[in-house]
Amino acid sequence: MSELFDSGFFARLNHLKMAMHIRLDRGLSGARKSSAKGSSVEFSDFREYLPGDDIRRIDWNAYGRLDKLYIKQFMEEKEACYHVFLDTSASMDFGEQKKSVMALRLCAVFAWLVLKQLDRVEILAFSEGKLEKTSPVVGRGSFSRLLKALEEVSFGGKTGINEAVRRSRLNGKGICILISDFLDPDGVDEAVRYLVFKHQEVLLIQVLAREETDFDEEGTLSLQDMETGEEVRVTMTRQTIRVYQETLEKHNRALERLAKRYGCAYLQVISDEDIEKVIFETLKQKGIFG
């Protein structure tokens, strides 16, 4: 099926479901009951057709008038919209087991589960503060096209997560999943505040390489910043290694506190972890998957 996964993996995912829920005040026809009153057959509004939509809900009269495909929406059955933000900066391509591979796999897992439950998902790849969106899709039939788009993602440049998230211009309640190493000098505070202001439920997934979390190499080293290309020579002693580890731990705890302050979920994943362990143990224990 893909270099990222095999078909057997997705078969095992069928036993999972998303456990993050939102009370929708607006939305589209889907597999979830909203807080709005009315019956599932009470007409509400139209929206443009998306690949994967049930063609039986196309309004052919509207198509005849406007030469565009529209879907009928109903009052009570709504779909949730999931926005998966993927950090494609150069630092994500680091590690013997690259952070980028883990990040892409997590994107694919979330997309698969969202589409399985008939909700809507879009992938928003960002670097240098710029944002590239896939078209929102619904239905399992859309997954192969989305997976192909993920396989074509390239990594490079600086991060710029705050600026990129501001460019997303989200409307209506939804769920946002941010996948990044969060090693952006400008932080992520502004992005989180923006998403919460936009009535999003937020999940922060920090992907780090084993070389970053368990660094213990002593001696004089030449280190290069993957995003700026700047090189420095440093002498690593036990003391400087300890300072590095304490600094990273402080950074990660600050990220965790930020998430807690704004009611977001946070978890850390190491890029060389087994993907099935991450999915079936870590994410389930955190209550992300049911």
Side-chain angles (χ1 to χ4, degrees):
M1 175 180 290
S2 164
E3 293 182 5
L4 294 175
F5 297 103
D6 58 35
S7 57
F9 179 85
F10 288 106
R12 291 188 289 280
L13 285 184
N14 283 328
H15 299 293
L16 294 176
K17 62 180 180 180
M18 296 292 295
M20 298 179 72
H21 296 294
I22 54 178
R23 290 178 60 82
L24 296 171
D25 60 354
R26 56 172 300 202
L28 318 172
S29 56
R32 174 180 291 101
K33 298 293 184 182
S34 80
S35 57
K37 294 182 179 180
S39 70
S40 61
V41 294
E42 185 178 349
F43 174 74
S44 173
D45 202 351
F46 295 97
R47 68 163 170 83
E48 286 194 38
Y49 172 85
L50 293 174
D53 277 327
D54 186 346
I55 61 173
R56 293 172 296 181
R57 291 191 173 182
I58 292 177
D59 187 285
W60 295 107
N61 290 327
Y63 175 74
R65 296 193 308 271
L66 304 172
D67 199 28
K68 275 190 175 183
L69 294 177
Y70 287 89
I71 294 292
K72 294 179 181 178
Q73 299 176 201
F74 297 89
M75 288 296 294
E76 190 168 300
E77 288 190 342
K78 306 280 185 173
E79 69 180 12
C81 186
Y82 289 76
H83 311 276
V84 183
F85 288 83
L86 171 65
D87 182 352
T88 59
S89 63
S91 69
M92 291 294 290
D93 221 21
F94 175 73
E96 183 175 349
Q97 300 294 323
K98 291 186 175 183
K99 292 183 282 185
S100 57
V101 173
M102 175 61 77
L104 289 168
R105 287 176 172 170
L106 289 170
C107 274
V109 167
F110 280 108
W112 172 263
L113 292 173
V114 170
L115 295 175
K116 180 173 78 91
Q117 67 187 27
L118 304 181
D119 285 323
R120 180 166 52 127
V121 65
E122 68 173 344
I123 307 296
L124 302 95
F126 65 89
S127 68
E128 297 282 356
K130 299 176 182 178
L131 198 64
E132 292 188 9
K133 302 182 182 181
T134 64
S135 297
V137 294
V138 294
R140 288 193 191 185
S142 304
F143 181 72
S144 59
R145 185 171 65 257
L146 191 147
L147 194 62
K148 186 175 185 297
L150 286 176
E151 291 176 331
E152 294 174 352
V153 168
S154 59
F155 292 78
K158 300 180 182 180
T159 308
I161 188 170
N162 290 324
E163 183 179 354
V165 168
R166 284 198 310 270
R167 291 173 179 265
S168 61
R169 302 182 183 278
L170 303 176
N171 293 307
K173 292 183 179 180
I175 295 175
C176 288
I177 301 162
L178 276 66
I179 303 175
S180 172
D181 55 17
F182 297 114
L183 299 178
D184 188 335
D186 295 326
V188 67
D189 301 49
E190 187 179 333
V192 170
R193 287 197 298 268
Y194 173 83
L195 294 176
V196 172
F197 173 76
K198 285 292 192 175
H199 306 292
Q200 303 296 305
E201 287 195 13
V202 180
L203 167 60
L204 305 177
I205 301 182
Q206 184 184 33
V207 181
L208 295 175
R210 184 68 63 184
E211 294 91 333
E212 293 169 326
T213 59
D214 296 350
F215 185 88
D216 60 359
E217 187 175 351
E218 296 184 39
T220 301
L221 307 172
S222 292
L223 303 178
Q224 182 180 47
D225 186 317
M226 294 188 67
E227 297 191 0
T228 65
E230 180 182 356
E231 291 189 17
V232 294
R233 285 183 64 82
V234 295
T235 299
M236 300 300 293
T237 64
R238 289 187 179 181
Q239 181 179 358
T240 52
I241 290 172
R242 184 170 64 253
V243 170
Y244 164 80
Q245 292 171 339
E246 290 173 352
T247 302
L248 179 62
E249 180 68 15
K250 182 179 179 181
H251 170 81
N252 295 343
R253 295 293 72 80
L255 185 60
E256 191 171 13
R257 288 194 301 272
L258 174 71
K260 185 175 182 180
R261 183 162 69 248
Y262 287 98
C264 308
Y266 163 82
L267 64 92
Q268 185 185 101
V269 174
I270 308 304
S271 60
D272 66 358
E273 290 185 77
D274 179 72
I275 184 65
E276 297 201 19
K277 180 181 178 182
V278 172
I279 300 304
F280 295 104
E281 294 183 22
T282 306
L283 286 164
K284 286 194 71 174
Q285 289 170 2
K286 283 284 186 176
I288 307 303
F289 295 150

